[in-house]
Amino acid sequence: MNVDNKKPGRKPLYVYYMVAAVIIILLNVLLIPSIEERKVEKTDYSTFLAGVEKGYVTTVEVQDDYIYYEATSNGQVICCKTVKMDDPNLVERLEKANVKFGAVAPEQPSIFMSILLGYGIPILIFVLLGRWLSKKMMSSMGGGPGGAMSFGKSNAKVYVKSSTGIKFSDVAGEDEAKDLLKEIVDYLHNPQKYREIGASMPKGALLVGPPGTGKTLLAKAVAGEAEVPFFSISGSEFVEMFVGMGAAKVRDLFKQANEKAPCIVFIDEIDTIGKKRDGGIAGGNDEREQTLNQLLTEMDGFDGSKGVVILAATNRPDSLDPALLRPGRFDRRIPVELPDLLGREEILRVHAKKIKIADSVRFDEIAKAAAGASGAELANIVNEAALRAVRDGRKFATQADFEESIEVVIAGYQKKNRVLSNKEKLIVAYHEIGHALVAAKQTESAPVHKITIIPRTSGALGYTMQVDEGEHYLMTKEELENKIATFTGGRAAEELIFHSITTGAANDIEQATKLARAMISRYGMSDDFDMVAMENVTNQYLGGDTSLACSFETQTLLDKKVVDLVKRQHQKALNILQENIGKLHELAKYLYEQETITGEEFMNILQAPPAQIGTAQSNNSSEETTAAQEV
């Protein structure tokens, strides 16, 4: 096995050595002799004699095979050689021409210089070049900055002395998390204050929350405020192909941290290496578990009094090993939740400092409309508003830009190339007004903010936006039932007006079913099941997947209860629309013509006295018949 592993690495070196040897031989056979004799010009014997007669030749050296001589040409002295001929009168002719006899042939280089020039220097050049190529190959094989020869070296990025420039003032909407982390900063600045009373700083803090809430940003802000070295590494960077390499990287990371203490070590997505050990087929000896074991050991072994603080982030805290979460390792669990109304407004203001905005922009209204958005989504909303302003040729973003950017983030861009037929457009108009009218006629529903039938890139042909006046953390059974009724309002309008149904209610059906199931299986809002949980929630920060925890018989009964609940709310929606069918026609016609209406326009039409709409109602009654006939 070892031999097989070495062969791929050695074969390129053998080829390299062979190529180098061939080049060195060619240098000695062809290039070096030509360099040594490049100053001696070869001539024929007749040219030599002509130069003697004309007085150009000044000095001659006669050897066994060649005659070397110096001649003047254009005022310069050149060294020449010619073949020696059988010429008995040569000496006499040279003396008659006053030619001197002396040493003219170039001196032969010493053996040492020949070896040095022919072999030493080329070999040295190829050795240095080979070492450089070897390092390059090892680096490419290693897959990281250190390459294959830096096994066990940590790839952590080091930001020294707040080079990131991020402070707590750059993080908004997470006041509770910042308060907990400010204590860590204070300890790094004034450790003596804590030592005097005998208090020790928590060794580690775990940031948990949904994606996009600013966990990594908070960790960088801690380092920025503390002005200490900041080691940043992702959990996936510990995972290696070879067993033991991840553990070596953990050791190297903590070694570097101890050398640069006080400092902060941030491990992002720690669930990559911190998952629960299940004692599977690998028997606890696989690479990931060895890396986790080494991390547990290092967190126990390092001295927290030096000022080394471990921060980690994850959005899957339920999958972490209990040994990693116990006191003494990650002592603090800091939730970084989705921002509330005030937090969203603060986040919008922070990001809006980077762009030019109009004075009339109301961040409180934008924050209300962006309910449930994370910090990253709010940053995207601000950027989309700026991009829309540029597309429209304006120098600043307006309130309309921000409102449109919210819709872009929620439902996608407008599909200008998708043109609905008149029949489909009318169906969508009644469908969306059905949602809005059912919501408006229920006292426990959020007010309607906007209705549109313009198709979006997410696939929606239209949507109804509801915005709560304030932040709600609890929902009553009546509110949830009214919400289900609102979901069914679109399909109810189609049934009532066109006596037919379409595929447009697919998402409404999915949302209504999900909410009804949660009411019965998780919220205990069924008399039959009382306060018994029928489902368990996993990955609450990543979509909240559920798994049933009941028998097959109970599942059948649970499904029946869900169907009954949705049916009741569907019937309630039909009754509300039937009672307000005149308003349904009037609002649908207005939306059909305008394509987009605001919540204020919707409420003005809905609250208008019946006397003002008698004609419109009769006209729409005939339109109902026409629309039904078209379908």
Side-chain angles (χ1 to χ4, degrees):
M1 180 176 180
N2 293 334
V3 175
D4 292 339
N5 287 337
K6 290 180 180 178
K7 281 183 178 178
R10 288 186 174 182
K11 185 176 180 180
L13 293 179
Y14 284 140
V15 175
Y16 171 77
Y17 293 149
M18 292 175 63
V19 172
V22 170
I23 293 176
I24 291 174
I25 293 172
L26 292 176
L27 284 174
N28 282 273
V29 172
L30 301 176
L31 185 61
I32 300 300
S34 64
I35 292 176
E36 291 178 350
E37 297 193 5
R38 69 182 183 277
K39 297 181 180 179
V40 180
E41 184 177 341
K42 293 181 180 181
T43 63
D44 53 30
Y45 193 76
S46 60
T47 303
F48 165 66
L49 292 178
V52 171
E53 291 177 359
K54 294 179 180 180
Y56 296 155
V57 178
T58 58
T59 306
V60 172
E61 179 183 352
V62 180
Q63 295 186 358
D64 295 337
D65 298 321
Y66 293 97
I67 298 175
Y68 290 87
Y69 64 94
E70 289 182 352
T72 56
S73 175
N74 297 326
Q76 295 181 349
V77 178
I78 59 175
C79 180
C80 304
K81 78 172 183 178
T82 184
V83 178
K84 183 180 179 181
M85 304 294 290
D86 186 11
D87 186 357
N89 300 323
L90 176 61
V91 174
E92 182 180 353
R93 190 180 294 118
L94 293 175
E95 289 177 347
K96 185 177 180 180
N98 296 321
V99 176
K100 297 179 180 179
F101 293 90
V104 177
E107 296 182 358
Q108 294 292 329
S110 66
I111 297 176
F112 175 75
M113 289 300 297
S114 298
I115 295 175
L116 180 63
L117 184 63
Y119 295 95
I121 294 178
I123 291 175
L124 180 61
I125 293 174
F126 278 107
V127 167
L128 295 176
L129 183 62
R131 290 175 64 87
W132 180 77
L133 290 175
S134 178
K135 288 183 179 179
K136 282 292 183 181
M137 287 191 296
M138 292 299 182
S139 176
S140 63
M141 289 168 58
M149 298 306 293
S150 63
F151 285 159
K153 294 295 182 181
S154 169
N155 298 333
K157 301 177 183 67
V158 183
Y159 305 91
V160 181
K161 298 295 183 184
S162 183
S163 63
T164 57
I166 298 175
K167 303 288 186 179
F168 278 138
S169 58
D170 300 315
V171 184
E174 299 293 343
D175 295 334
E176 294 81 6
K178 286 197 293 185
D179 290 340
L180 293 172
L181 292 171
K182 282 178 181 177
E183 192 173 26
I184 295 177
V185 175
D186 186 51
Y187 176 83
L188 293 172
H189 280 161
N190 306 298
Q192 191 61 33
K193 181 172 65 174
Y194 294 86
R195 292 171 187 167
E196 288 176 354
I197 199 174
S200 60
M201 197 59 209
K203 286 187 176 181
L206 183 66
L207 305 172
V208 299
T213 50
K215 298 183 289 296
T216 305
L217 190 66
L218 276 170
K220 290 184 178 180
V222 171
E225 293 285 346
E227 295 186 349
V228 298
F230 178 67
F231 292 82
S232 176
I233 190 169
S234 173
S236 60
E237 294 184 48
F238 290 109
V239 180
E240 291 284 352
M241 179 176 64
F242 304 105
V243 175
M245 300 316 303
K249 286 190 174 184
V250 172
R251 288 192 295 270
D252 184 69
L253 174 62
F254 279 86
K255 179 183 177 183
Q256 294 182 51
N258 281 318
E259 291 172 354
K260 293 184 182 268
C263 65
I264 293 173
V265 177
F266 176 62
I267 305 175
D268 199 6
E269 304 297 344
I270 194 173
D271 53 274
T272 306
I273 59 171
K275 290 181 181 178
K276 295 176 182 176
R277 292 166 290 183
D278 52 5
I281 299 175
N285 292 322
D286 65 310
E287 166 65 5
R288 184 185 61 79
E289 291 196 8
Q290 282 201 19
T291 305
L292 173 58
N293 292 336
Q294 187 64 45
L295 178 62
L296 298 175
T297 304
E298 293 292 339
M299 293 191 69
D300 272 343
F302 79 90
D303 186 5
S305 62
K306 291 183 178 180
V308 180
V309 178
I310 311 297
L311 296 180
T314 182
N315 41 41
R316 298 183 61 190
D318 52 328
S319 67
L320 294 179
D321 194 282
L324 193 62
L325 302 176
R326 73 159 177 81
R329 288 180 178 135
F330 285 110
D331 305 278
R332 286 189 176 178
R333 178 167 170 165
I334 302 177
V336 187
E337 302 288 347
L338 293 172
D340 57 11
L341 180 60
L342 182 60
R344 292 195 297 274
E345 185 176 347
E346 292 176 354
I347 293 173
L348 287 168
R349 292 184 183 278
V350 168
H351 291 291
K353 293 178 182 178
K354 304 173 185 177
I355 67 171
K356 295 180 180 180
I357 60 173
D359 297 333
S360 58
V361 172
R362 293 192 58 184
F363 289 105
D364 55 339
E365 296 295 332
I366 302 170
K368 286 180 183 178
S374 65
E377 290 172 330
L378 293 170
N380 193 24
I381 287 173
V382 174
N383 187 57
E384 286 290 344
L387 293 176
R388 186 174 186 268
V390 173
R391 285 195 297 268
D392 292 347
R394 282 178 276 103
K395 299 295 185 181
F396 51 84
T398 63
Q399 183 80 12
D401 293 327
F402 281 96
E403 291 178 353
E404 174 63 24
S405 65
I406 294 174
E407 297 181 41
V408 167
V409 173
I410 294 174
Y413 293 92
Q414 295 183 7
K415 295 204 71 169
K416 298 179 181 180
N417 59 343
R418 176 175 292 180
V419 180
L420 298 178
S421 64
N422 292 335
K423 180 178 68 174
E424 289 178 331
K425 187 177 177 181
L426 187 64
I427 293 174
V428 175
Y430 273 99
H431 182 102
E432 297 304 331
I433 292 298
H435 286 306
L437 192 56
V438 172
K441 289 299 180 177
Q442 296 180 116
T443 57
E444 300 294 335
S445 295
V448 175
H449 179 71
K450 185 177 182 179
I451 312 170
T452 180
I453 56 173
I454 298 176
R456 295 274 173 170
T457 53
S458 63
L461 300 178
Y463 65 90
T464 301
M465 182 185 294
Q466 295 175 258
V467 177
D468 285 307
E469 292 296 333
E471 200 77 16
H472 293 282
Y473 301 99
L474 293 174
M475 295 190 71
T476 64
K477 181 179 180 181
E478 290 72 21
E479 287 177 323
L480 293 174
E481 289 178 343
N482 290 345
K483 201 169 183 179
I484 296 174
T486 302
F487 282 134
T488 63
R491 169 61 64 83
E494 293 180 20
E495 294 173 335
L496 187 63
I497 302 302
F498 302 100
H499 308 293
S500 178
I501 56 178
T502 67
T503 58
N507 184 256
D508 301 330
I509 295 171
E510 181 181 347
Q511 296 295 328
T513 305
K514 184 178 180 180
L515 188 56
R517 181 174 292 276
M519 288 177 62
I520 297 172
S521 63
R522 290 166 47 205
Y523 302 150
M525 295 181 178
S526 171
D527 295 335
D528 294 328
F529 297 132
D530 199 34
M531 294 181 62
V532 178
M534 299 297 168
E535 283 183 337
N536 295 325
V537 179
T538 57
N539 296 334
Q540 60 173 332
Y541 296 126
L542 295 174
D545 299 331
T546 59
S547 58
L548 288 171
C550 56
S551 64
F552 291 109
E553 292 79 5
T554 306
Q555 291 180 27
T556 303
L557 182 59
L558 175 62
D559 293 337
K560 185 176 183 301
K561 294 293 180 184
V562 171
V563 173
D564 291 342
L565 176 57
V566 175
K567 274 187 174 181
R568 288 198 305 272
Q569 301 311 311
H570 185 195
Q571 186 60 47
K572 182 169 72 173
L574 281 169
N575 295 338
I576 291 173
L577 295 178
Q578 184 66 54
E579 293 170 1
N580 299 273
I581 193 167
K583 290 292 183 182
L584 176 62
H585 289 306
E586 184 179 4
L587 287 165
K589 179 181 178 182
Y590 186 76
L591 178 61
Y592 178 85
E593 294 171 351
Q594 302 295 324
E595 291 189 340
T596 299
I597 62 175
T598 64
E600 184 178 358
E601 291 173 320
F602 171 81
M603 292 306 297
N604 288 339
I605 297 175
L606 184 62
Q607 295 172 356
Q612 298 181 8
I613 61 169
T615 306
Q617 182 171 345
S618 61
N619 292 338
N620 283 318
S621 297
S622 61
E623 183 180 339
E624 171 194 347
T625 305
T626 305
Q629 290 175 351
E630 286 181 358
V631 177

